[in-house]
Amino acid sequence: MLRRTLGHVVRPSLPLRQYSQARAGRSHVKSHAKLEPLDSVSDIVSEYRAACPHPLLTLIAGEPSATTPIATGPTASNPTVEDALQAAGIAREQYDAWKPVINATTLSSALNAADSILGQGGHTNPSSRGRFPAWVLLALLRNKPASHTEAFVAHRIALAPPVTPTPELMPLVFILLAYWLTRLGMSAPLHSTIVHLTRTHFVRADHISLLLRILVAHSPPRAVLQAELSLLLKFAIYHHLPLSPSTYRAILDNHDTPPNVARLVEEHMATCGFTPNYVHTRALLRIYGQNGLRASAANSWRRIRHGEVHGRVPSYTSRKGYRSMDPDLRQAMNAKPTLPTTDDIHPNIWLQVLKTAAQDSKTSPDALLSVFHEGRQHISDTSVVRFATFLLIKSFVRREYFKEIAPLLADIMPLKDDFSTSQLTIVVEALTMLGRPDAACRLLQQHLGRATETSSGTTVPFVDTQMINSFMIALLRIGRPDAVFYIWDTMPRVFGVQPNAISFAIVLKAARFARKCEGTLQVALEDFGLRHILPSRMASSELERAPHKLNREQAIEGLERMLQRDPKRAVTGFWRGHRAGSVALRVARQIFLGNWPELARLETPVLALRVSSSAQATSPMSDLYRSILHPDEGTLGEDILGRASAVTPQQEGADTYYGILPHDPMFRALIDLLADEDRAWQIPLVLKWMQHLSVVPSSATLATALVYWAEVSLDGPWIEKIKGPGSSQYMRLRRWMMGWVGWKRMPRREDMQAALRRVQYFRDMRSLGAPARDVEVDVDAWCEK
């Protein structure tokens, strides 16, 4: 019945084989085998052609070669070409017109050929100018992009409505595009591609399965993998699209698969009536166990022990295998445990006690150190002692017990060459909080050349984006937003990593905190529209004026000079010579409208009554100055997030930020900054962007937006009474939110109270944090090579 209701979902021509609910019967050995990896365009097209044998796929398939083009010499005497064109309903003249694109061996030459054809009037319909047939898009996308710019151009072309939207070929267009974007690490265009595909009417189960296999084969960052796999699995669950057992195995065998994706796989199995086999259940047990989900892991183990899986189960997991075990071993397993003495205490018990005490904020540092030193005397395993040391350092950094950190660092720093990625991250945070960010930066530079191997066998850089994000957070905690801005501008050159959504969320928070460092006169002149009185560039050197234009050597030297200990240094709260909040919003505009230009055409769902909560107090004077000095600005001021931004991307830098996939914390930080920059009237537009990008908001984000929106959308009590209940702009936004997320996801009273307390806490805060000033540590010797 559900399939008949969902008429826009195309039923697969050959439904996939499902598991039998009964344990009896023959085993589907072939369906349990691992699938071949999708390492090339030819592999993807072959898989796609097996389910959809379109005639044009024989002409436009595989990866082009520099010596032998795919479509070399199709002539009128070739019956294969003629038959394929006739079966597809394509005229020979149209095929010959696009032949330079089909014969191109690189994406650049294909784009140039397509531009020439469109410029010469290669299309007969004027309304189709700049649009391509679906089979021409396939010819474009079988070429490997040489750069991010070429991939983004191909992405924008593919997402435009084609001249002939062939339902049999358009899914392959999006699948090939997702393949290249995944390999290039372009998370933002990848997300919009998958969202666009799920909103079309020609998606089938084999298309979703192929996309899932591409994502797990070329694993993007863990956060991106989680977002895209969750989106595709939820779509398959909602539309009851069956997936093959091999697809399940490909997802669960990936070591980067998060536990919430594993839960969605289990939900999809239950929805489609599949019974997981032993391999699936063992993979679920591993994923849940590694992430500390004991109840779910125990449930998976129970299914294995009781044989509640499809197919054969190893004998050692059953009760029969337990009975056939060696009697001495079985007796040892059944023996009652005895209480350990201080001499034979198990290291895991000590670590668990220490971890529980470290997580309890009521535990004093003396009690933690006492437990640490007492257990250290009885444990000879140095790796366990090292793990416990880093556990204590992390706890003391979080609670700002700086005096206790120094001796622990002195014990652990001689082993700095053997640090893991997480251990180096903890040390960098500790050094920064102790007031030595320069030493932390030197330590990071010493480890830049190292590489580490993941659990899946791939090699990744030792210094990753997560480590730099932790460094930026520590810098913000000690009151150095200027260093955070500099690292954002120079991160790819200094540390060799690309920023992600968490990095930009930190920058948005730093821009919000930078307002605490601004002078009263500077802020007043800016608010009253007298910015021309200020110097055009509030920066003393090229280092502060345009750090995004420095080369690698200059960027490293500038960062080291900025992080040097200088008691006379004053943080001004400016970035690139302008107010940090304004620059951060312009960077946000570059990220959003650069990756998704269609966002500029979205309209706000509701309108505000005033600019900000403080607008009424300064309205007469500020309106007078703005009307005289800046008559071009509208009633609500400059629209930084819209098309009317006065700062172009070329002025802000050449970075494209294709790897930033917005998520809920990033949007919440953007909403906070908009409110503090007196632009709360743009909050509904940001929420509209979230809806368009399929970002699910949390109750905290919605509550924060409503708190700020109430300040600019509510009239006085008497006016509200005259208008009638439910007619205010505040209630209109609430109704729009409810239609978007549903009643169950709307913020409750406790969520609104928590948002109010958080907003009030920041407004009452007078200054930023500061590093430890009463702790002196000799870190110069530690960080020497």
Side-chain angles (χ1 to χ4, degrees), residues 356-495:
T356 304
Q359 292 176 348
D360 188 3
S361 59
K362 297 181 181 179
T363 305
S364 64
D366 295 335
L368 275 176
L369 290 174
S370 176
V371 174
F372 172 74
H373 290 300
E374 289 179 3
R376 185 178 183 179
Q377 298 175 1
H378 302 282
I379 295 177
S380 59
D381 192 348
T382 56
S383 61
V384 175
V385 176
R386 182 190 302 183
F387 181 83
T389 304
F390 282 106
L391 185 65
L392 275 189
I393 294 175
K394 184 176 182 179
S395 176
F396 290 152
V397 168
R398 178 173 54 87
R399 294 193 278 178
E400 298 185 356
Y401 292 144
F402 299 121
K403 292 183 179 180
E404 290 77 6
I405 297 177
L408 296 175
L409 281 178
D411 294 340
I412 209 69
M413 284 302 294
L415 305 174
K416 59 183 176 65
D417 293 336
D418 299 328
F419 285 168
S420 64
T421 303
S422 58
Q423 292 171 351
L424 182 60
T425 303
I426 295 174
V427 172
V428 167
E429 291 179 357
L431 290 176
T432 306
M433 295 302 296
L434 288 175
R436 297 303 305 270
D438 55 334
C441 182
R442 277 185 293 166
L443 193 62
L444 289 172
Q445 292 292 329
Q446 294 175 12
H447 289 80
L448 280 182
R450 292 180 57 187
T452 182
E453 186 175 349
T454 62
S455 56
S456 58
T458 59
T459 303
V460 296
F462 188 80
V463 177
D464 55 3
T465 305
Q466 183 177 356
M467 187 182 300
I468 305 304
N469 290 342
S470 300
F471 186 35
M472 295 168 65
I473 292 175
L475 288 171
L476 184 57
R477 290 179 63 185
I478 65 174
R480 293 298 306 274
D482 56 334
V484 174
F485 301 144
Y486 186 90
I487 291 178
W488 167 266
D489 287 328
T490 60
M491 187 186 300
R493 295 182 293 279
V494 174
F495 299 108

Side-chain angles (χ1 to χ4, degrees), residues 128 556 647 722:
S128 63
I556 294 176
V647 178
I722 294 177

